[in-house]
Amino acid sequence: MASPSDSTPAGAGMEHLPPHPTAPARFPELYAPGRPFARPELQSLAADGILARFHQHGYTLPGSAASAQLRARAAAGSVPPQVRQRVVAGRMTAAWIYGCADEPDRLALLVDAKRRVSSLRNTRGCTLHEVKLGPFDVVSLGGLMVSSPLRTALDIALHVDAERAVPTLANLLARPEKDVRLRLLVLAIEATPRVPHKKAALEKLSRLAPALVPGGAVNVKDPVDPADGAEDVAEVLGVPHLESKL
């Protein structure tokens, strides 16, 4: 004899259960040409206010917060995947990623002198700079290697024209979380006596705080070689905060 449960139709009583909650739709943080919309479609969506242009080649949802990670992701999308792990975003590109400068027209990519750069020469839309990088000169953000805030400030002081460098350095120095200090920048430049553009770099820093750059050299014992990275400057100056990570 069949039990009452045997005669119960499958699914009976299910109509009294509350509907299963559905997870809210998740939208990508960053939209770039081909991922998934073509450039004209992205431009049309931005014109309709559905997306907001975030940088030269990408868009976000309106009101999205622009973080360093998101800018790094945007920059990474402009670097060919086959070379992405061999280069470091630096100089004004790194300053833009940190939110301290406008996006440059071309990506500035640093290549460690120990790596072969011949295969990277044809990287479009990028400017390559062969440098020596130490372990504390590089951080990882948004799938891209980026020069640390201190290394970024040092490179900008040495290699970027004053019109762009001075306001960018002021922005870096104004953000305590970046751990960039003017006195440290002065000492780092003075600790590398044979580095090119040293005098011009000190003149840029003097615009930010003349009292810290009196015109004479800052006395630092055992100056390091110009090719050494920022971590070697830390050893000379005894500045442990250089080893902190973002």
Side-chain angles (χ1 to χ4, degrees):
M1 183 174 178
S3 64
S5 61
D6 293 331
S7 60
T8 303
M14 295 292 288
E15 65 273 12
H16 301 297
L17 296 177
H20 189 277
T22 57
R26 292 182 62 87
F27 296 96
E29 287 185 295
L30 184 66
Y31 294 83
R35 293 178 294 174
F37 303 107
R39 189 183 301 275
E41 293 175 308
L42 290 172
Q43 293 172 339
S44 178
L45 290 169
D48 293 337
I50 299 173
L51 294 178
R53 188 166 184 173
F54 171 66
H55 74 121
Q56 290 184 42
H57 308 292
Y59 299 77
T60 59
L61 295 174
S64 298
S67 64
Q69 287 79 6
L70 190 60
R71 293 189 191 93
R73 281 181 55 196
S78 300
V79 180
Q82 64 270 24
V83 303
R84 198 170 294 160
Q85 297 304 314
R86 301 172 58 191
V87 297
V88 176
R91 301 189 183 184
M92 295 302 289
T93 297
W96 171 69
I97 288 173
Y98 291 130
C100 295
D102 293 333
E103 181 186 12
D105 294 333
R106 296 173 64 86
L107 291 176
L109 300 179
L110 311 181
V111 183
D112 195 290
K114 293 179 290 187
R115 294 179 177 269
R116 295 182 60 184
V117 298
S118 57
S119 61
L120 307 177
R121 296 296 184 191
N122 294 327
T123 304
R124 295 182 179 180
C126 305
T127 302
L128 298 175
H129 305 277
E130 188 173 351
V131 299
K132 182 175 180 180
L133 294 167
F136 301 118
D137 288 339
V138 179
V139 298
S140 178
L141 285 173
L144 183 68
M145 290 185 290
V146 183
S147 60
S148 68
L150 177 61
R151 176 61 190 255
T152 299
L154 194 60
D155 285 343
I156 288 173
L158 288 168
H159 303 295
V160 176
D161 59 271
E163 183 177 355
R164 293 181 299 154
V166 172
T168 301
L169 291 169
N171 288 334
L172 281 165
L173 291 163
R175 302 194 179 193
E177 72 275 12
K178 303 306 180 190
D179 207 17
V180 179
R181 304 175 187 179
L182 182 56
R183 184 62 176 173
L184 180 60
L185 278 175
V186 173
L187 291 173
I189 293 172
E190 287 289 356
T192 54
R194 294 185 297 278
V195 71
H197 314 303
K198 171 184 168 182
K199 181 178 180 182
L202 290 174
E203 290 176 352
K204 295 168 193 171
L205 297 182
S206 70
R207 299 188 189 184
L208 300 173
L212 288 180
V213 190
V218 177
N219 292 324
V220 179
K221 294 182 179 180
D222 304 318
V224 297
D225 186 85
D228 291 334
E231 81 285 355
D232 298 306
V233 176
E235 292 177 6
V236 172
L237 302 178
V239 185
H241 82 275
L242 274 176
E243 300 181 5
S244 63
K245 297 186 181 295
L246 296 180

